């Protein structure tokens, strides 16, 4: 339904057909194949059962065929027999026989049909011509609308992008599956979940987090919020490394605050355990140079796509995400961070800031559903956390809009008590006093499809790296994830080989926009 509404809003009736005829061109069509398909449906129930769900009345170019197919579809959905006589009788009842060419034309359609042997091929040709006409319709309306002074260019871009995406993904439908095929597929899925220890979504690489969430699920909006210096960017970089390097899952990271090279430098520091300060200055000893070149190759070839557009509008974000999903098979999208996005085009605000954040939050959830991928967005927390004795964040601390909590499927907080000079955990079992050194907690405060939980992680602050909790005591980096899933093709990363070693030009980098609001993070890089 959404596809038809979007296409109809851009086609304006028969605009494209009139334009094409005026230019001396006929719109793409396959009327002969339409006759064969309609004729087959009227005489062969097997062909009807096999292909009727692949078509809608709109895909037929000849208006008479649209009327006849609509009647066939009505009878079929009503579990009534479909043949020449029932179709003619039904059209007589609804006064549509004359608009369908009369009973002589309907009988004529069956004359050249012998069987349904090649019905799928005939249907595919009809659908291909319909796609071409749809592309002409959308393009013609974009041209027409572009000449109007009142046109909102960003709204037009968004509608056009959405229309093209829907044509690509919503036109060709698959046919029926047999019970035999479905049972085998279901068993394969169940087996794969067993092998992955219950991970049904995109794994984070953090064992205890994945145990609680089952992996990040498609169409979910996941909010990761924290105060400055808690390590929000470090958390998603650690997770991005797990997903792209260990699991080889294509993913995109939109960094609205930090430059791409800065992010990669932090990831290299985390991967090689060489301080970012040394990487910026190039003051590495021979052993560190060797470690750098030997440990960074996997990161270079990871299917990771980074966009550093500042003040990114939700319209541009949606368009870029569609292209990443279609062209590169991206399966997870991250945003750092939500409050730096804008609702309108060109970086302009749109009225009340709380309303703008609400609109951005709703749009992120809509994009996750439209593209059927998890979207993880970082968010700020208000200063009220600092006035609380235990400094533990809660849902009411989400900054600027309660809509974030409402729209999100998962809301989680990063909490590092060590930063607040809190030396032992306040939520241990009675009698236990666990040190908070090199530890953090991911507080899952809202989980629409599961339980809430407090998950402890390690945090190696000298490398700004999160890992499994045992890493806090053994000094290890990333632990090996639970097996590398199959089925993902390695896609060339946007990071060109060797580019990671270029030193960032700090003269062109602006200070953190978060510094205008809060203290700068205490990372050494």
């Amino acid at each position: 339904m959404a596809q038809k509404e979007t296409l109809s809003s851009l086609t304006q009736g028969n605009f494209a057909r009139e334009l094409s005829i005026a230019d001396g061109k006929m719109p793409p069509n396959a009327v002969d194949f339409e006759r064969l398909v309609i004729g087959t449906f009227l005489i062969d129930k097997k062909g009807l059962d096999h292909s009727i769900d692949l078509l809608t009345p709109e895909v037929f170019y000849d208006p008479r065929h649209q009327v006849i197919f609509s009647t066939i579809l009505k009878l079929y959905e009503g579990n009534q027999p479909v043949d020449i006589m029932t179709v003619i009788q039904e059209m007589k009842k609804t006064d549509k026989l004359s608009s369908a060419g009369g009973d002589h034309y309907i009988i004529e359609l069956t004359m050249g049909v012998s069987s349904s042997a090649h019905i799928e091929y005939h249907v595919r040709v009809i659908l291909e011509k319909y796609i071409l006409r749809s592309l002409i319709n959308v393009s013609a309306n974009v041209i027409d609308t572009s000449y109007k002074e009142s046109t909102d260019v960003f709204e037009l871009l968004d509608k056009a992008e959405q229309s093209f995406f829907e044509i690509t993904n919503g036109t060709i439908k698959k046919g029926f599956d047999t019970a035999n095929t479905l049972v085998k597929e279901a068993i394969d899925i169940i087996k794969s979940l067993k092998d992955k220890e219950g991970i049904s979504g995109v794994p984070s690489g953090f064992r205890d987090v994945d145990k609680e969430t089952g992996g990040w699920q498609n169409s979910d909006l996941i909010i990761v919020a924290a105060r400055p210096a808690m390590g929000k960017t470090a958390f998603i970089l650690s997770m991005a490394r797990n997903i792209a390097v260990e699991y080889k899952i294509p993913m995109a990271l939109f960094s609205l605050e930090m430059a791409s090279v800065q992010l990669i430098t932090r990831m290299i520091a985390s991967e090689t355990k060489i301080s970012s300060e040394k990487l910026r200055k190039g003051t590495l000893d021979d052993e560190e140079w060797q470690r750098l070149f030997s440990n960074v190759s996997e990161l270079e070839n990871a299917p990771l796509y980074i966009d550093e557009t500042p003040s990114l509008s939700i319209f541009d974000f949606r368009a870029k995400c569609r292209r990443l999903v279609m062209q590169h098979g991206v399966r997870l999208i991250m945003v750092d961070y939500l409050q730096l996005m804008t609702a309108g085009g060109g970086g302009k605000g749109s009225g009340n800031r709380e309303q703008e954040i609400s609109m951005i939050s709703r749009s992120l959830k809509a994009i996750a559903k439209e593209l059927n991928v998890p979207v993880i967005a970082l968010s700020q927390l208000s200063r009220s956390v600092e006035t609380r004795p235990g400094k533990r964040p809660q849902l009411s601390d989400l900054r600027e809009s309660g809509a974030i909590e409402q729209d999100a499927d998962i809301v989680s907080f990063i909490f590092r008590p060590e930063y607040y000079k809190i030396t032992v955990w306040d939520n241990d079992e009675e009698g236990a006093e666990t040190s908070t050194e090199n530890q953090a907690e991911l507080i899952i405060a809202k989980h629409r499809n599961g339980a809430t939980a407090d998950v402890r992680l390690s945090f190696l602050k000298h490398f700004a790296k999160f890992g499994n909790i045992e890493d806090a005591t053994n000094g290890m980096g990333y632990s090996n994830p639970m097996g590398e899933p199959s089925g993902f093709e390695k896609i060339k990363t946007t990071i060109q080989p060797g580019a990671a070693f270029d030193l960032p030009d700090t003269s062109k980098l602006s200070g953190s926009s978060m510094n205008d609001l809060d203290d700068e993070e205490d990372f050494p890089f």
Side-chain angles (χ1 to χ4, degrees):
M1 182 61 71
Q3 177 188 351
K4 293 177 184 176
E5 289 175 356
T6 306
L7 291 177
S8 62
S9 68
L10 286 168
T11 54
Q12 293 186 346
N14 293 322
F15 180 82
R17 181 180 296 190
E18 293 169 1
L19 179 65
S20 297
I21 293 173
D23 290 343
K25 299 176 183 176
M26 280 293 291
N29 67 85
V31 175
D32 290 340
F33 285 94
E34 292 179 11
R35 292 194 188 100
L36 282 173
V37 169
I38 295 290
T40 301
F41 288 169
L42 291 172
I43 67 169
D44 192 332
K45 188 175 186 302
K46 181 182 176 182
L48 180 66
D49 290 338
H50 197 65
S51 303
I52 191 170
D53 66 320
L54 303 177
L55 298 166
T56 60
E58 292 78 17
V59 305
F60 292 94
Y61 179 77
D62 192 322
R64 295 174 298 179
H65 301 159
Q66 293 182 9
V67 175
I68 298 170
F69 181 78
S70 296
T71 304
I72 292 174
L73 191 61
K74 180 181 177 182
L75 291 172
Y76 186 86
E77 290 176 344
N79 292 319
Q80 300 178 46
V82 176
D83 56 38
I84 296 174
M85 294 308 298
T86 57
V87 170
I88 290 175
Q89 288 301 318
E90 181 63 29
M91 284 195 287
K92 283 181 178 177
K93 288 180 186 177
T94 55
D95 254 350
K96 293 181 179 178
L97 187 57
S98 59
S99 60
D103 51 4
H104 294 292
Y105 181 70
I106 295 173
I107 295 171
E108 183 184 327
L109 290 175
T110 64
M111 301 298 288
V113 179
S114 58
S115 73
S116 59
H118 305 292
I119 186 70
E120 279 197 53
Y121 173 76
H122 298 156
V123 167
R124 187 164 66 248
V125 172
I126 293 171
L127 287 170
E128 287 173 356
K129 299 301 181 183
Y130 171 69
I131 292 172
L132 290 173
R133 292 198 302 275
S134 298
L135 290 171
I136 292 171
N137 287 340
V138 172
S139 302
N141 183 256
V142 169
I143 293 170
D144 183 58
T145 308
S146 297
Y147 281 104
K148 297 178 181 177
E149 292 292 335
S150 59
T151 298
D152 184 325
V153 63
F154 295 101
E155 183 178 352
L156 177 61
L157 276 172
D158 182 58
K159 285 184 177 179
E161 186 92 33
Q162 184 178 356
S163 299
F164 286 125
F165 182 80
E166 287 169 349
I167 291 170
T168 303
N169 290 273
T171 307
I172 303 296
K173 307 174 188 176
K174 63 176 290 187
F176 291 109
D177 288 313
T178 65
N180 181 272
T181 302
L182 292 173
V183 168
K184 288 180 179 177
E185 184 178 342
I187 291 174
D188 288 341
I189 292 173
I190 294 168
K191 285 181 178 178
S192 68
L193 293 179
K194 179 181 181 296
D195 296 337
K196 298 175 185 177
E197 299 186 14
I199 306 302
S200 57
V202 177
S204 69
F206 303 129
R207 184 191 60 253
D208 294 336
V209 174
D210 290 335
K211 182 179 177 181
E212 296 296 335
T213 63
W216 306 124
Q217 303 298 315
N218 289 340
S219 80
D220 274 6
L221 172 61
I222 300 105
I223 298 296
V224 178
R227 289 292 293 157
M230 289 297 104
K232 294 189 296 297
T233 301
F235 178 74
I236 65 166
L237 287 180
S238 299
M239 189 160 52
R241 185 266 177 198
N242 292 343
I243 294 169
V245 174
E246 294 293 346
Y247 291 96
K248 306 295 188 293
I249 296 176
M251 60 155 294
L253 171 57
F254 289 82
S255 175
L256 283 71
E257 184 178 35
M258 294 181 66
S260 298
V261 176
Q262 286 180 315
L263 290 177
I264 288 298
T265 302
R266 288 182 63 163
M267 294 184 78
I268 292 173
S270 176
E271 190 78 2
T272 61
K273 294 185 179 179
I274 301 171
S275 76
S276 189
E277 182 179 358
K278 283 190 172 183
L279 291 175
R280 283 200 306 268
K281 295 178 180 179
T283 55
L284 282 67
D285 58 34
D286 292 341
E287 187 275 332
E288 287 172 331
W289 278 113
Q290 181 62 35
R291 201 191 324 162
L292 176 65
F293 286 110
S294 61
N295 290 1
V296 83
S297 58
E298 285 190 327
L299 181 60
E300 274 192 315
N301 296 305
L304 174 63
Y305 302 87
I306 300 177
D307 185 290
E308 62 176 8
T309 307
S311 301
L312 184 67
S313 76
I314 199 67
F315 293 109
D316 292 337
F317 176 74
R318 182 185 288 114
K320 290 183 177 186
C321 287
R322 284 174 183 148
R323 286 193 290 272
L324 284 165
V325 170
M326 286 190 293
Q327 296 174 9
H328 303 296
V330 162
R331 291 194 53 211
L332 182 137
I333 296 165
M334 294 180 177
V335 182
D336 181 14
Y337 58 93
L338 185 150
Q339 279 82 4
L340 288 180
M341 299 187 77
T342 61
K348 298 177 182 178
S350 56
N352 181 277
R353 179 59 179 166
E354 185 172 338
Q355 293 176 351
E356 187 176 19
I357 292 295
S358 298
M359 185 267 188
I360 293 170
S361 175
R362 286 193 303 271
S363 298
L364 289 177
K365 174 58 180 175
I367 290 167
K369 289 183 67 177
E370 176 187 335
L371 301 180
N372 195 35
V373 298
V375 173
I376 301 176
L378 299 188
S379 179
Q380 291 178 324
L381 291 179
S382 66
R383 292 180 183 272
S384 57
V385 177
E386 310 295 338
T387 63
R388 198 171 295 129
K391 313 298 183 185
R392 184 172 289 272
Q394 57 192 33
L395 287 171
S396 59
D397 298 326
L398 284 171
R399 191 166 187 162
E400 291 182 305
S401 177
I404 298 175
E405 176 188 347
Q406 178 182 331
D407 296 324
D409 297 279
I410 294 177
V411 178
S412 58
F413 305 110
I414 299 172
F415 176 49
R416 288 202 300 118
E418 184 182 10
Y419 175 78
Y420 294 108
K421 305 298 188 289
I422 300 172
T423 58
V424 294
W425 286 101
D426 61 359
N427 58 349
D428 275 336
E429 294 181 3
E430 187 175 351
E433 289 190 356
T434 307
S435 171
T436 61
E437 185 180 4
N438 295 329
Q439 293 189 16
E441 199 168 64
L442 184 71
I443 303 169
I444 303 175
K446 176 189 175 182
H447 192 182
R448 184 166 286 159
N449 301 307
T452 59
D454 297 339
V455 181
R456 290 191 187 170
L457 301 168
S458 72
F459 179 70
L460 307 178
K461 58 186 176 183
H462 296 295
F463 306 109
K465 175 195 291 190
F466 283 82
N468 291 318
I469 187 61
E470 58 268 20
D471 300 339
T473 55
N474 64 18
M476 297 291 289
Y478 294 96
S479 61
N480 291 328
M482 298 164 289
E484 184 174 301
S486 61
F488 301 107
E489 293 182 0
K490 184 179 289 187
I491 300 175
K492 185 178 180 182
T493 178
T494 52
I495 308 163
Q496 296 300 321
F501 307 129
D502 292 339
L503 303 182
D505 184 356
T506 55
S507 66
K508 297 181 180 179
L509 299 176
S510 60
S512 170
S513 58
M514 193 181 285
N515 297 341
D516 298 334
L517 301 170
D518 300 290
D519 296 330
E520 186 175 359
E521 295 194 5
D522 63 346
F523 301 141
F525 40 88

